Amino acid sequence: MGKAGGDSAALINEQGLRLDGRRIDELRPIRIEVGILRNADGSAYIQFGKNKIMAAVYGPKEVHPKHSALPDKSVLRCRYHMSPFSTEERKNPAPSRREIEISKVIREALEPALMLEDYPRTAIDVFVEVLQSDGGSRCAGISAASVALADAGINMRDLVSACAAGKVAGQIVMDVDDTEDKEGQADLPIAIMPMSSQVTLLQLDGQLNDEEFHKAFNFALDGCRRVYQLQREALIGKYFGNNGGNSDGGL
Amino acid sequence: MGKAGGDSAALINEQGLRLDGRRIDELRPIRIEVGILRNADGSAYIQFGKNKIMAAVYGPKEVHPKHSALPDKSVLRCRYHMSPFSTEERKNPAPSRREIEISKVIREALEPALMLEDYPRTAIDVFVEVLQSDGGSRCAGISAASVALADAGINMRDLVSACAAGKVAGQIVMDVDDTEDKEGQADLPIAIMPMSSQVTLLQLDGQLNDEEFHKAFNFALDGCRRVYQLQREALIGKYFGNNGGNSDGGL
Amino acid sequence: MGKAGGDSAALINEQGLRLDGRRIDELRPIRIEVGILRNADGSAYIQFGKNKIMAAVYGPKEVHPKHSALPDKSVLRCRYHMSPFSTEERKNPAPSRREIEISKVIREALEPALMLEDYPRTAIDVFVEVLQSDGGSRCAGISAASVALADAGINMRDLVSACAAGKVAGQIVMDVDDTEDKEGQADLPIAIMPMSSQVTLLQLDGQLNDEEFHKAFNFALDGCRRVYQLQREALIGKYFGNNGGNSDGGL
Amino acid sequence: MSAVKKTLVVEQLKRGQMNELLAKGKRLDGRGLLEARELKVFSNVIEKAEGSARVMLGNTEVIAGVKVSLGTPFPDTPDKGLLVVSAEVLPLASPYAEPGPPDESTIELARVTDRGVRESGMIDVGKLVLREGKWVYAVFVDVSILNVDGNLFDAVSAATVAALLTTNVPKYEMKEGEEPKKTEEKIRLPIQTIPLAVTMARIGDYLVLDPTAEEEAVMDARITFVTDDRGNICAGQKGLSGSLSVDQITLAASTAKLKGEQVRAIVKQGAGYVQ
Amino acid sequence: MSAVKKTLVVEQLKRGQMNELLAKGKRLDGRGLLEARELKVFSNVIEKAEGSARVMLGNTEVIAGVKVSLGTPFPDTPDKGLLVVSAEVLPLASPYAEPGPPDESTIELARVTDRGVRESGMIDVGKLVLREGKWVYAVFVDVSILNVDGNLFDAVSAATVAALLTTNVPKYEMKEGEEPKKTEEKIRLPIQTIPLAVTMARIGDYLVLDPTAEEEAVMDARITFVTDDRGNICAGQKGLSGSLSVDQITLAASTAKLKGEQVRAIVKQGAGYVQ
Amino acid sequence: MSAVKKTLVVEQLKRGQMNELLAKGKRLDGRGLLEARELKVFSNVIEKAEGSARVMLGNTEVIAGVKVSLGTPFPDTPDKGLLVVSAEVLPLASPYAEPGPPDESTIELARVTDRGVRESGMIDVGKLVLREGKWVYAVFVDVSILNVDGNLFDAVSAATVAALLTTNVPKYEMKEGEEPKKTEEKIRLPIQTIPLAVTMARIGDYLVLDPTAEEEAVMDARITFVTDDRGNICAGQKGLSGSLSVDQITLAASTAKLKGEQVRAIVKQGAGYVQ
């Protein structure tokens, strides 16, 4: 979050439009593709604004070392990582403290939806690679990973859909992008299991009073539900439709 | 050790008193408390001048990995560590070469007093955390750790008591503090098992001729014996007296 | 490789002699000693120009951890390392990416010559320590390691002999030294099993056209064969002659 | 393997017992569901540090120390001082703590604490500048965790904030073309608000405030909100592999505001802080 | 242990089958011995990077991104810009890839790619200097490997080169006594030649071009040559624990020249590069 | 497990045998209790280093090399040059040595050696200053241990000191407002005294000088003293998990002074050092 005021007012113009032309309750353009990596057991690619993110799932598989296996369920492991060229300034490829924290909250956001008890003594690995980052990469990564888990055929109670809301130029807005994240006043990323409306991720940075918090929370919930539709469409397209793969090579 | 001469003369005044008002054979104020950490099997807190040090013992306990267990005795492990805020300049929390060496000599200073053969195939962990450092933190740490080992009920041949002597402004003095350590000419920390007068730690930095070495050695031995009395009193107070705990929260 | 032209012409004078007085097809002075380290199962010391390199072999021996053992052959492991004082500027003792790559290619250069299938479920360790570096240290290290393996009594199909050729001041030369490596236009280190002329190491940096490449390749092959003679002489001297050890302490 | 099975059975029994109690509005240690343990805050316990505090929350015990040095600002924020919060669960704090670099849980703990301080604007980092783009104050808060008995988030938050409230930094003399010169004079940090974390655990269907280690062993999810003294929520973090309903999040947010006021009073008193 | 034995037996069977095929001049996927898989090159796929390319070589897929920043030259080369090539086999690329720092194989891969670019003089690093000894362009090429199906050397080489060909770097305004000032204007990297790697595997007595992962599993040795567009061989690397005959090396070198021309045409087209 | 038991029995047997011998004033290799092995010192063995020495103490063999560069002094000692001693037990030195960063024993070894050199004032670091607070000589001594057969402390000490005695550093030309300029002229390090370590091992009731690896395997405690040529003890270090009596320490100190003189003569000769 940046200056809690200042020139941030310009982030929303007199017509109520944001820098990239969106209304305050509008998502950025989203594109999801399923099953685009050959070796992974499941995979998905998401474009979410300028975010370009690959997610892949390997497993259920044997655990090494064996003593880290659990007798009653699968061990879910997760790595969120940014490629060095994904950011404005080159990112050191070693995992940062930020990436370690986000890996943890992504794992915890996905786990409630997974029937890990169906795969005792195994591990399931989820890899989220940010090839290009924009605001909201953790949410986009969760949404992609959830689709990749479905693509891998892991038993799930529900998909997990994620979206942030925020406060920009004094107004609550849906789906904060990079500039809004840096110049804005608050960012509230959440993830839900849409069928039960259970919240599996919630983080908050910034300053929101009670009313703003509830408004932002509802915006984020609404965003999650819209993402959910796109996730479903992508999966249906892969398994019942004809738009498989990414044959044109464009990212 | 600092300048072998120079302005260090001011470290002892004409009345033979040191910067903090002590005589050359006088210890700094010492306070020892026993059993102040809840989770540890044994613990002690020592204030030794401005040193503020916690020591805790966990064990005897299972060893991981198992192949590092010994068939005929317990494995003693030791970590001496300084909190980042314990020093003049913030200390990097990663263990320095100095901390690694001191961890080793503390372990070797404690081990002769422990009946490790009574606990085969186990490990005993000793943790010494320096919350505030002053000259002589390794000696204070050993003295506290020895009390914590007794508090944990580990079988011991004797306590281990530690104290340094040094050379300051051309004179041999007992119990060197931080300024004296930096500006003085020699530092001789030792640890003993007081009942047998066996020496379990000895290090020396600086320049001492034969006569000075023997005088300093005897000063340090004497200091150890005085620390021993305070260690005994603290343990007796905890187990037979009424001054338990650190209920006022002051350090 | 340095400037592809420039003042590098001075590297070869009008008489066709190089900076150190060698002809273009001449090796630097080479000295090989066998069995000079007491603890190692096999060892060799090589001086190759200004390179001063120790090689030692331990094994065949038990593998830790056990699961990294192979059921049908010995695991060959190799470390190429430069002592901090071996280079113009002090070298950080931690292994550099260059050392990691060279360790790999040295291992792969030696392995074809070893009958690892004779020692299943074991490991053989080869350590190459560069005490002083000059151009061609990987080749000299391979040649020394191969002698050390023979000294350790490891079953071998052949020795491995290594030498580089290069392009300096527009001419193809044998055995490039440090200055020529830095100022020259190409470096082509190779290793062979001399009896079968099989190539076990080949690397190339620089710019060579077809004709130059073939000339350089043949120079390097020729250099390898000359090194082979010196390796044989050193081993014969150790096992059948009387010039054992390095009793005068000179390096 | 039998050891693992026993653990599972014991854990199930514990969880069952706890749920029964919670249904009656009670907890193992006798507290009500929205009742916190006693919080004690002692300040200036480390004289060598520029600020410090020792905090006990039940049996959870932590020490925070603040060190301040001269630093160079980040290129993209030449007009802001530096503020870094780190934490270490010392190996003497628990039989499960290991020496070594912080694990993911401790990184999360430090980062959430850091965000609470940073996002609330507790410290006016714009006033920590000595010469723009060149010299700023670098404020390092390090928290050493001495004993673990649950709810590290709130204990670490309270210790961090108390230590910052007591911090005195040296004043520097700034002369054109010269390096900053430390003077004997001390100044307080530019405090703007006092943010504090309040954490709840979901165990089955119940949310409980300030969980103990025993409760954390069976909790399904954790939710922390940091509130300031101006009516704002400044940071939030859901943790663990369970989910929370929308209502539970709303309850956690309102509880954080209410209880945050009580914590704030204790922290201010312990730090001897008068606005 | 029985698992290990089975693997060995299966491997022997595979090797046998492959050798039979190779003796007939055929490969498992129907290619001829000196036939490469289809190579696809897409450029400018990462808008935030100064240059980028996505390369598919059969099922092997990699992305290279170029980041350019201001740097300080090495003391012994004050008149040269910086160029660093790194690679990571992402854990999503293969069931065998592990997260963490690059292993020796990935280090070798990056270093051979780096040498191909560097030794060929592809980039005129003498033109990357803003002020000698003080300010230079630092060009970082990072290659993220997304899917592994053999012959990473050639895929990484093609992606690296294509990304560099599309790179636009900001122009800096240099004023005496001042730091470089970034302008909006963009300039191309000073390209001198286009070096590309061509790799062959020896399986038994046969050399095959562009091996798949299946072929790599049984190959005895690997040989890579990098050639430029001026008729030079610029880098070479033999890999693995088998040996090669002098004739095999000669064949690999001449094949690299021939096939390199074809690869060069595809890379130039994919990068939209016109000399 | 039976392997472990066997080891213990063998060790006990060895210890018993050694004690019997020691009671007669003898050692396994025929030496008397206070007799050291032959010490050989060869200098200038690494021409690229500014100073170097190879030392053999019985079968223990080490090489020390000195590299000197320009450095920046520590802020709290602007008037002193830098001196750092490091050591590595190379994996070729012993079947028990592992590649990797130095373990606690090697760190102790390097630090005790460093303290001997530093605390004795061997090098007048005040004379290693080129411009106070800005430019100083940085002297790095690295010791590579080539073969381990006991008493590394004394071998490393002798090699370090011999290498320093032979060190020639480049003279720098200092002009106001300019960086130091290296000249061709070489100067010696400012040597003030020659400190050397002498180590004894306690085995049962006996102290023996200069223990071999075989003796170290059964020793109870180790004691090292460093003495200079002005009658001072400059550094001391007790090691291992046994204790020493006050008398044993007194004996070790006086032995260190006596034997130190002999070692000093050999080191000075090996280094070709004339005061």
Side-chain angles (χ1 to χ4, degrees), chain C residues 164-185:
Chain C
K167 183 177 173 192
V168 169
Q171 293 194 49
I172 301 303
V173 300
M174 181 181 285
D175 181 25
V176 172
D177 71 19
D178 218 11
T179 313
E180 293 174 336
D181 188 22
K182 288 203 182 90
E183 304 291 326
Q185 296 140 307

Side-chain angles (χ1 to χ4, degrees), chain E residues 72 75 133-134, chain F residues 70-72 130-131 134-136 171-183:
Chain E
T72 314
K134 206 159 162 62
Chain F
L70 272 187
T72 314
L130 291 165
R131 182 166 300 142
K134 206 156 163 65
W135 297 108
V136 297
K171 196 168 176 174
Y172 283 88
E173 204 178 284
M174 300 300 298
K175 277 192 191 154
E176 196 53 42
E178 287 181 25
E179 300 200 352
K181 215 176 117 189
K182 200 188 271 198
T183 68

Side-chain angles (χ1 to χ4, degrees), chain B residues 36-40 45 50 52 54-58 61 79 81-91 93 95 127-129 131-135 178 182 246-251, chain D residues 40 42 44-51 54 56 59 61 63-69 86 88-97 99-100 140-144 146-149 182:
Chain B
I36 56 158
L37 292 174
R38 286 285 183 127
N39 288 337
Y45 170 70
K50 288 183 193 136
K52 295 185 174 186
M54 292 275 185
V57 173
Y58 283 89
K61 61 184 206 183
R79 175 176 116 135
H81 184 253
M82 307 181 90
S83 277
F85 48 74
S86 65
T87 47
E88 283 304 330
E89 302 294 319
R90 176 177 187 266
K91 198 209 147 278
F127 300 113
V128 174
E129 183 74 18
L131 298 170
Q132 181 162 278
S133 72
D134 194 359
D178 219 10
K182 288 202 182 90
N246 176 35
S247 49
D248 70 343
L251 280 189
Chain D
K40 295 182 197 164
F42 306 93
N44 292 319
V45 293
I46 304 296
E47 300 85 353
K48 282 202 179 178
E50 276 76 44
R54 181 189 190 188
M56 288 134 152
N59 289 327
E61 181 172 348
I63 291 189
V66 181
K67 298 298 295 181
V68 180
S69 61
S86 308
E88 182 176 0
V89 179
L90 297 177
L92 47 67
S94 147
Y96 310 109
F140 292 92
V141 187
D142 285 281
V143 188
S144 289
L146 295 174
N147 202 68
V148 171
D149 187 16
K182 200 188 270 196

